[in-house]
Amino acid sequence: DLLVYIGFLESLSQTGFSGDVVLAVSSLIDLSPGVQEYLEGRKFDKMNVVTYTVSWQCFDRKKNKVKGARGGMSLCQTVDFYGDANDLPLGDP
């Protein structure tokens, strides 16, 4: 997983992109080794990286629950990501 983040962010930076990159990642305890340290420690000249941790529930192609996105091979949805005006969770649309 670390190589995916490095490849994406480093190549985007090399294009001269100068905006904000907003990432939603798994909870910190579920991140692969080195990912948190890279995202927190890597500073770019013209690009800002903002990272939010979210809870996910992932499924295989037969809609069985699985652990993790398996490198993008699973279908995932956020858990309690949306809320109403009173901060009460809403189901995913």
Side-chain angles (χ1 to χ4, degrees), residues 21-71:
V21 178
V22 180
L23 301 173
V25 300
S26 301
S27 64
L28 297 179
I29 61 171
D30 291 330
L31 287 176
S32 295
V35 172
Q36 180 180 354
E37 293 80 4
Y38 173 75
L39 293 174
E40 290 177 347
R42 176 65 167 97
K43 304 298 181 216
F44 296 92
D45 291 333
K46 301 177 184 177
M47 188 171 75
N48 296 312
V49 178
V50 179
T51 307
Y52 292 96
T53 58
V54 295
S55 297
W56 303 91
Q57 177 59 68
C58 298
F59 305 88
D60 64 16
R61 302 289 182 217
K62 295 180 181 179
K63 299 186 180 180
N64 298 310
K65 290 182 180 182
V66 296
K67 180 171 174 31
R70 299 182 315 134

Side-chain angles (χ1 to χ4, degrees), residues 54-57 77-83 87-92:
V54 295
S55 297
W56 303 91
Q57 177 59 68
Q77 68 182 29
T78 56
V79 176
D80 295 336
F81 185 75
Y82 300 97
D87 288 332
L88 297 174
L90 299 172
D92 284 337

